[in-house]
Amino acid sequence: MMHTFTNVKKLTGLLLLILFSTTSLLAQVIKGTITSKDGTLPGASIHGLTFKLSTSSDLNGEFTLNAQLTGKAKIAISYIGYATKIIDLELSSGVNALGNIEMIAERKNSLSEVTISGSMAPSQAKAYSIKKNSNAIMDVMAADAIGKLPDRNAAEAVQRMQGVAVARYHGEADQATVRGTPFAWTSTLFNGNRLPSSNVMGNRSSVLDAVPSEMIQYVQVAKAITPDMEGDAIGGSINFITRTAPTSRQLNLSAAGGYNTFSKNGTYNASLAYGDRFFNNKLGLMLSGAIWDRQWGADSFDASYNTGLADPHQKKSINTIMYKRYMGSRQTMGVNLGTEYKFDASNKVFFRGMLNKFDDIRPVYESYVDYTNSRYQYNYRYSHYQTSLKGAELGGEHQLSSRLRLDWAVSDYKSKYYLETPPTYGTKGLPISTFRQKITGGFNNLSSDGKRYWAFDSPNGVGGDPMHFDAGLNNPAEIMNADKLLLQQLVIAQLDNSEHDRNAQLNAKINVSQKINLKMGGKYRHKYRESTYGSSIVFMPGAAMGIPSSPPLVSLSQLETKDFPSGSKFFGAMDGNHNQYIMNPLTKNQLFNLFSNDFLSPNGFVNVTPKTNPTALYNGKEEVASAYAMAEIDATDQLKIIAGVRNEYTSMELKGSKAVTAGTPAVTTISESTVKNNYNALLPMLHLKYALNEKSNLRAAYTRSFIRPSFGDMTPGTSVDNTKNPMSISQGNPNLKPTFSNNFDVMGEYYFDNIGILSGGAFYKKITDVVFTDASMQNINGTDFMVTQAKNLNNSTLFGFEAGINKRFDFLNGFWSGFGTEFNYTYIDSKVKVPRGTGNNISLDKSSLPNQSKHLFNAILFYERDRMMVRLAGNYRGASVETINQQLGPDFYIWTAANFTVDASATYTINKHLKAFVELNNLSNEPVKTYLGDRRRLTTSEWYGRRGQAGIRWDIVR
């Protein structure tokens, strides 16, 4: 570790040496900002006409061009959809500041015809210009495009982009991944820094439902990274650029109200953005805020199977069936501040700050039919999950000479996932009450071996199918009854997680000659993580444990309850009447009071928290020192070469507890345990970019990238979940290795004159030490547990291709010329071999990578004409394996079924300041399903209804 930090120190010294040796080389440099009536223009091309040098504008529209001559000169500025601007200059030694340069829409180009208030054209022109001029293979989306579809958080915003897939959690996207790889394999960045993750499962994938989409200015999805980007990105990286100071005053307001068809309740959404410049335009400020408040609900039909039984066929028999209903409220809030101060054309400092909060209140009502134990089970929990993401960044950009540009930044970001319930009894977490009722009459739909199956698994064809479920009671009158449901367990599940990142970085860009630019830099990150996930406080009544003279069990009817929540028909998406599983739940206060001594003691409850409970808690730190060097070489007028190397050294230390059971009788002792894992990642990279002409690029890239093991996978401890049926155990694996990948990409791009694109390419990844989650059923001291543990696999490969088109039909006449389409498709085929068996009886099962879908596509039909814009969008994600069961093989892998959602939006421009809009989500109302091996063997099916809203956008000043 010290050796790597010494290298970073040497690199910093080298940068300072270059700094001081080049500050005296002030020759001729041209600086300016490219703007239009729609704001700054990133990715503009600036070419010297009297000298052979060129550059492009950055995300703020700013550019720096070395002229290397004095006197008269000419430059040309071009931008997709705008007339090329020629500027005559009289260059003097030093910095020649041109200020703001406004581009005008080309009269003969469709931009002037398409650009009406509310059109997508200006936004797409920005995105395509950034993409066209980027060194990396990437796709880009601008803020205006995000606002044209009903995508209310950061994850939903990126689901429309080529090769991006999202995970849906109770109807809303919350995670995103590139090219179908596992979610933790995609690096999620804010302004170039990887976000800390408080993901409850302890992995590195960032949960994005805490960030309103209104906070985002641009999204960059890099499929092949360059050395100046974070290297832990096997799938790719998603970089969210927050809003920054505008070139002129801006004030925008939006407000909307809506309705959720499942909860039968309203929603509202509002946002405000204000930007301006002060002190002779030296100080710029952008302040934005948004809130999205909604009622929501979902029905989930869940099945668990007896995979721990010895008989291979009986492993497919049904253990429990659960009817679960969620009915709650969510609120997403965000505030973003971006400021900059320009001392002069060569020096500026900036500050970014953000505060995001996601409140998820969702009482959960769970009714089980337990075939294994011939009983009903009813769980009620009051879930109030809170996620916060906050932080700030201070940095600067300095043109120290015509050949040397320096930028630096320090940042501090924290992500936290936590619960504050119950509010008065010391231990915080998720309060869960469990009631059980014996089914004395038994079942009439058991198979010949006495087990419950679906018909296609049954030895004699008895069993039905999931979507026509019948409990099969011998006594139809023996339904769930509040008088007979007896309280048998109380649990407080501790789920708090937090990560705190502090970053410092320094970058230098050096113009070596007319054809060569060097870029180098260093970065240090200190991460601190705390986790209580998997720790549970458990209470049981003495009567349930057979303790003599214990007070009688308490029934649900003896406690304070309230009416079952109204909303859509209970499991109305399934055939039949399922009202027998509806129970009036406890009031919130009654649930909380169950954990007080005033209730526990009189009713004979005993604290039976497992002695191993402390092993689920851990904290730790991770230090990453990285450095890179790269060259940008204009080999010819058409060919650009980007070559370099990045090195990242990681030092990780986790502190937790470990349980050891020994002796006769067995005694369990808890001891402190520390896990250390240090490793180095050397990442060479090469990009080739060939411009066939002004409208088309060919790209090829070799990159090496990696993924760090997750904290939750490496903890020395064990977590036990007593609330599931069967109960589950999650074990850490301190010996996990990082996963590395050699990536090969080719891509072609063709840009239409009317602001459209045709693109396509192929990619291949050779991956080593894949980490997967192994799940197996184990019998421990007479009790069945589902045990999960992360392990490394052997090598795997991933191959795919992607293609996309965005085309306006302006070649048609009249009304029909307003139509257009966006379509992108990605095919991905991955292979990994999973060893199964022991000793000489090891076989290799073939599987795809976890979370990887073979087919992804987006299809959008839009219409833009005469003040009206309408968009109909379909998003498809193919089936993907979620959990690999190394012990039992592919027949027992958990899969997510293919899912297709349809959304729509419409905007009408009332005048240049005011627009009315309508947004509709999940018009297809397709459930999210998972299954065990066979696609008929359902494990979950969740329905969450449709939602929509209508409102106004008011551009008060623009």
Side-chain angles (χ1 to χ4, degrees):
M1 180 69 181
M2 290 304 298
H3 177 69
T4 302
F5 279 106
T6 300
N7 288 341
V8 174
K9 185 177 179 181
K10 289 180 179 178
L11 174 63
T12 304
L14 176 62
L15 291 175
L16 292 174
L17 177 62
I18 296 172
L19 186 158
F20 287 114
S21 63
T22 56
T23 50
S24 61
L25 299 177
L26 276 171
Q28 298 67 245
V29 61
I30 306 167
K31 299 182 73 71
T33 303
I34 311 301
T35 69
S36 74
K37 68 181 188 65
D38 296 301
T40 57
L41 297 180
S45 296
I46 300 97
H47 299 276
L49 297 180
T50 53
F51 54 94
K52 289 188 176 182
L53 287 173
S54 63
T55 189
S56 59
S57 58
D58 63 17
L59 293 175
N60 297 317
E62 299 176 356
F63 72 90
T64 300
L65 180 63
N66 291 287
Q68 298 182 359
L69 57 83
T70 56
K72 295 186 182 297
K74 284 187 178 183
I75 62 172
I77 303 172
S78 59
Y79 203 79
I80 295 174
Y82 290 82
T84 298
K85 175 165 284 192
I86 307 296
I87 300 179
D88 292 306
L89 301 173
E90 186 68 36
L91 297 179
S92 58
S93 180
V95 176
N96 295 263
L98 305 185
N100 293 338
I101 304 168
E102 184 172 354
M103 302 291 285
I104 306 299
E106 192 170 12
R107 301 297 301 177
K108 295 181 180 180
N109 189 283
S110 63
L111 181 66
S112 59
E113 300 163 6
V114 174
T115 302
I116 56 172
S117 297
S119 170
M120 286 284 293
S123 178
Q124 288 172 336
K126 294 179 183 180
Y128 294 157
S129 294
I130 298 171
K131 175 183 175 71
K132 183 180 179 182
N133 288 288
S134 67
N135 288 333
I137 296 176
M138 69 166 54
D139 291 306
V140 182
M141 179 181 287
D144 294 340
I146 296 172
K148 298 303 187 295
L149 281 168
D151 302 324
R152 297 263 64 86
N153 68 42
E156 292 191 336
V158 299
Q159 67 179 318
R160 317 291 175 185
M161 302 181 73
Q162 185 167 299
V164 176
V166 297
R168 300 189 187 281
Y169 190 62
H170 303 318
E172 296 177 15
D174 67 340
Q175 297 180 82
T177 182
V178 178
R179 288 179 168 167
T181 55
F183 289 97
W185 289 17
T186 291
S187 177
T188 304
L189 313 170
F190 260 53
N191 302 313
N193 288 312
R194 180 147 190 175
L195 280 178
S197 171
S198 57
N199 189 298
V200 69
M201 302 304 295
N203 61 43
R204 296 178 184 269
S205 59
S206 299
V207 178
L208 297 170
D209 49 10
V211 183
S213 57
E214 291 92 342
M215 302 294 100
I216 308 303
Q217 184 70 32
Y218 296 103
V219 183
Q220 298 173 313
V221 176
K223 276 74 175 289
I225 62 173
T226 50
D228 54 346
M229 299 179 181
E230 299 264 9
D232 53 341
I234 290 179
S237 69
I238 303 177
N239 188 20
F240 295 94
I241 309 296
T242 57
R243 293 179 178 272
T244 56
T247 55
S248 59
R249 183 174 298 172
Q250 179 179 328
L251 179 59
N252 315 109
L253 173 69
S254 72
Y259 185 74
N260 184 295
T261 63
F262 191 99
S263 65
K264 307 292 185 183
N265 278 309
T267 68
Y268 73 83
N269 171 235
S271 67
L272 175 68
Y274 170 71
D276 209 344
R277 301 201 75 88
F278 307 92
F279 305 120
N280 198 27
N281 290 331
K282 288 184 176 294
L283 175 65
L285 175 146
M286 170 59 77
L287 179 65
S288 55
I291 184 169
W292 179 28
D293 193 288
R294 65 275 192 200
Q295 302 292 317
W296 71 282
D299 279 339
S300 181
F301 180 81
D302 296 16
S304 68
Y305 298 87
N306 294 308
T307 57
L309 295 180
D311 187 302
H313 189 80
Q314 289 185 346
K315 294 178 186 295
K316 299 172 183 176
S317 64
I318 299 169
N319 178 33
T320 64
I321 294 295
M322 178 176 61
Y323 287 85
K324 180 190 293 188
R325 168 158 283 203
Y326 301 88
M327 193 68 73
S329 62
R330 287 172 169 169
Q331 188 177 79
T332 304
M333 299 174 289
V335 178
N336 179 72
L337 174 66
T339 64
E340 66 175 21
Y341 188 85
K342 291 187 175 182
F343 297 94
D344 51 42
S346 298
N347 297 279
K348 74 173 182 179
V349 293
F350 62 85
F351 174 83
R352 302 184 183 111
M354 67 175 181
L355 175 61
N356 302 285
K357 178 76 183 300
F358 177 44
D359 276 296
D360 189 0
I361 300 174
R362 44 182 161 105
V364 185
Y365 318 92
E366 299 175 342
S367 296
Y368 292 82
V369 180
D370 185 340
Y371 288 96
T372 299
N373 297 292
S374 191
R375 67 190 181 191
Y376 292 115
Q377 178 171 311
Y378 176 71
N379 291 347
Y380 174 70
R381 67 185 74 178
Y382 181 80
S383 310
H384 183 182
Y385 305 106
Q386 301 179 67
T387 305
S388 66
L389 177 61
K390 59 184 178 181
E393 179 182 10
L394 176 67
E397 297 176 7
H398 310 279
Q399 188 73 41
L400 300 180
S401 75
S402 63
R403 295 184 180 273
L404 176 63
R405 184 176 179 177
L406 191 72
D407 67 78
W408 58 274
V410 292
S411 62
D412 189 307
Y413 288 99
K414 185 173 184 180
S415 178
K416 186 177 181 182
Y417 178 93
Y418 60 100
L419 301 94
E420 294 291 341
T421 55
T424 55
Y425 305 116
T427 304
K428 304 293 186 182
L430 173 63
I432 308 170
S433 58
T434 298
F435 300 80
R436 297 189 178 107
Q437 171 190 338
K438 197 67 180 174
I439 297 175
T440 58
F443 304 96
N444 61 25
N445 56 359
L446 304 182
S447 295
S448 54
D449 62 356
K451 300 296 182 181
R452 174 73 156 100
Y453 296 87
W454 303 126
F456 66 89
D457 277 330
S458 173
N460 59 338
V462 175
D465 70 82
M467 291 297 96
H468 300 82
F469 176 75
D470 181 357
L473 300 171
N474 277 328
N475 179 5
E478 195 176 10
I479 61 175
M480 295 183 75
N481 188 317
D483 293 327
K484 297 179 181 179
L485 282 166
L486 305 178
L487 181 61
Q488 305 230 359
Q489 183 174 264
L490 293 169
V491 172
I492 296 177
Q494 297 175 290
L495 304 175
D496 289 9
N497 288 272
S498 68
E499 272 192 14
H500 190 180
D501 285 5
R502 294 184 173 93
N503 301 281
Q505 59 184 327
L506 177 67
N507 301 287
K509 187 171 184 179
I510 308 158
N511 177 235
V512 176
S513 68
Q514 290 187 5
K515 294 184 177 294
I516 300 176
N517 286 306
L518 294 181
K519 191 175 181 181
M520 61 184 67
K523 188 171 187 176
Y524 171 75
R525 176 170 64 242
H526 180 279
K527 180 188 294 290
Y528 180 74
R529 181 176 178 87
E530 291 183 292
S531 175
T532 65
Y533 175 71
S535 170
S536 296
I537 312 300
V538 184
F539 301 93
M540 291 183 66
M545 296 186 293
I547 299 176
S549 303
S550 295
L553 297 175
V554 177
S555 69
L556 179 60
S557 62
Q558 292 176 268
L559 301 171
E560 182 182 351
T561 60
K562 60 182 180 180
D563 291 338
F564 192 78
S566 60
S568 64
K569 179 183 176 182
F570 186 74
F571 281 83
M574 292 178 62
D575 291 337
N577 188 320
H578 309 282
N579 290 341
Q580 70 189 72
Y581 304 107
I582 295 176
M583 303 303 301
N584 286 341
L586 301 175
T587 64
K588 179 174 68 173
N589 288 335
Q590 174 67 89
L591 176 64
F592 293 165
N593 289 334
L594 296 181
F595 295 89
S596 68
N597 287 330
D598 292 340
F599 178 85
L600 294 173
S601 296
N603 291 286
F605 277 78
V606 179
N607 190 330
V608 294
T609 301
K611 291 183 179 180
T612 58
N613 194 58
T615 64
L617 284 67
Y618 69 88
N619 64 73
K621 65 179 181 179
E622 180 181 81
E623 295 178 285
V624 177
S626 58
Y628 74 91
M630 58 185 283
E632 301 174 5
I633 305 169
D634 293 324
T636 69
D637 290 343
Q638 287 78 38
L639 178 62
K640 187 168 187 176
I641 301 172
I642 299 96
V645 63
R646 184 178 185 90
N647 193 84
E648 298 197 14
Y649 184 86
T650 303
S651 174
M652 187 272 288
E653 179 180 278
L654 294 181
K655 294 182 178 180
S657 300
K658 194 171 185 177
V660 178
T661 302
T664 305
V667 176
T668 300
T669 58
I670 306 297
S671 60
E672 291 187 0
S673 180
T674 299
V675 172
K676 294 184 178 181
N677 198 354
N678 302 334
Y679 47 89
N680 192 68
L682 183 66
L683 311 172
M685 304 180 196
L686 174 66
H687 289 253
L688 304 176
K689 177 182 174 183
Y690 188 83
L692 294 172
N693 51 50
E694 290 186 0
K695 296 181 181 179
S696 54
N697 288 325
L698 289 178
R699 299 175 183 266
Y702 161 74
T703 58
R704 182 167 171 81
S705 54
F706 78 113
I707 289 296
R708 298 178 175 91
S710 298
F711 292 101
D713 289 341
M714 299 189 69
T715 173
T718 298
S719 63
V720 181
D721 189 340
N722 298 70
T723 66
K724 292 183 178 179
N725 196 344
M727 292 183 285
S728 67
I729 294 176
S730 178
Q731 296 178 336
N733 182 356
N735 298 315
L736 286 177
K737 302 176 184 177
T739 302
F740 282 87
S741 178
N742 290 306
N743 314 296
F744 302 87
D745 293 80
V746 292
M747 183 68 66
E749 309 157 358
Y750 178 80
Y751 296 88
F752 298 117
D753 288 332
N754 61 347
I755 312 178
I757 188 174
L758 175 66
S759 64
F763 49 91
Y764 175 81
K765 298 177 184 293
K766 181 68 174 178
I767 308 166
T768 59
D769 292 317
V770 174
V771 176
F772 77 106
T773 301
D774 177 45
S776 62
M777 190 67 72
Q778 299 180 21
N779 187 283
I780 302 174
N781 297 327
T783 303
D784 288 335
F785 288 89
M786 178 63 74
V787 180
T788 60
Q789 185 182 41
K791 297 180 180 179
N792 283 111
L793 286 176
N794 294 324
N795 298 349
S796 72
T797 59
L798 183 148
F799 164 78
F801 63 86
E802 62 183 57
I805 186 171
N806 183 332
K807 179 68 174 175
R808 287 177 164 78
F809 302 159
D810 56 355
F811 52 86
L812 300 176
N813 295 321
F815 168 82
W816 302 104
S817 65
F819 281 99
T821 186
E822 292 182 50
F823 182 86
N824 59 70
Y825 169 77
T826 304
Y827 171 86
I828 308 160
D829 185 27
S830 66
K831 292 181 174 64
V832 62
K833 294 180 180 179
V834 183
R836 177 159 52 100
T838 58
N840 295 324
N841 297 317
I842 294 179
S843 60
L844 294 175
D845 296 321
K846 294 181 180 179
S847 173
S848 58
L849 290 168
N851 310 129
Q852 182 256 300
S853 300
K854 183 164 285 189
H855 304 283
L856 305 171
F857 75 77
N858 287 284
I860 301 175
L861 178 67
F862 62 85
Y863 182 82
E864 297 179 354
R865 184 177 170 87
D866 298 332
R867 298 177 178 266
M868 177 64 70
M869 186 187 71
V870 181
R871 297 174 72 78
L872 182 66
N875 177 266
Y876 177 87
R877 182 189 177 199
S880 61
V881 65
E882 302 300 321
T883 303
I884 291 174
N885 192 317
Q886 186 180 25
Q887 179 189 43
L888 299 181
D891 283 349
F892 295 90
Y893 291 1
I894 301 294
W895 288 77
T896 293
N899 185 260
F900 181 66
T901 59
V902 178
D903 306 308
S905 65
T907 301
Y908 181 76
T909 301
I910 300 171
N911 57 47
K912 67 178 183 177
H913 295 295
L914 193 63
K915 306 176 186 69
F917 65 88
V918 176
E919 300 175 345
L920 302 173
N921 286 87
N922 195 32
L923 294 176
S924 52
N925 198 26
E926 184 174 350
V928 175
K929 294 183 178 182
T930 63
Y931 51 90
L932 179 71
D934 192 296
R935 299 192 183 201
R936 297 170 294 175
R937 195 177 302 116
L938 192 73
T939 52
T940 64
S941 183
E942 182 177 278
W943 302 265
Y944 44 88
R946 304 174 177 90
R947 71 174 190 263
Q949 66 175 10
I952 60 170
R953 292 191 182 94
W954 190 11
D955 294 326
I956 302 171
V957 179
R958 182 82 183 189

